[in-house]
């Protein structure tokens, strides 16, 4: 996944494949990236590549599991 340029849309799909939602926020004029799932809230990363490296350590989830992740 890691290449010279990381696309936000690709990272969103990559996170979704692992049952996570990509979140982006700003603090002190810096973008921060993290993921959330029904099991955890990840720590924020200032570099998208660092977040992708973390996502690569997470297992893939089955399509039904990912959908259940967002049920109320």
């Amino acid at each position: 996944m890691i290449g010279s340029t990381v696309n936000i849309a690709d990272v969103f799909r990559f996170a979704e494949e692992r049952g996570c939602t990509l979140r982006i926020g700003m603090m002190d004029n810096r973008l921060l990236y993290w993921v959330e799932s029904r099991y955890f809230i990840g720590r924020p990363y200032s570099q998208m590549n660092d977040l992708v490296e973390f996502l690569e350590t997470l297992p893939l989830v089955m399509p039904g599991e990912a959908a259940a992740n967002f049920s109320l």
Side-chain angles (χ1 to χ4, degrees):
M1 167 93 196
I2 295 179
S4 58
T5 304
V6 178
N7 180 306
I8 289 177
D10 291 338
V11 176
F12 175 83
R13 283 189 293 278
F14 195 61
E16 195 172 56
E17 290 171 353
R18 284 147 177 81
C20 298
T21 301
L22 174 64
R23 301 288 188 197
I24 302 172
M26 183 174 273
M27 179 180 254
D28 297 329
N29 292 325
R30 291 179 42 197
L31 285 175
L32 296 173
Y33 310 94
W34 71 95
V35 290
E36 296 178 2
S37 78
R38 68 188 226 189
Y39 303 107
F40 70 92
I41 297 173
R43 77 174 191 84
Y45 293 91
S46 60
Q47 299 295 317
M48 182 85 64
N49 283 338
D50 294 336
L51 176 62
V52 170
E53 285 182 23
F54 168 70
L55 286 170
E56 288 176 332
T57 68
L58 299 177
L60 294 172
V61 297
M62 302 304 274
E65 290 179 72
N69 190 27
F70 303 105
S71 65
L72 296 176

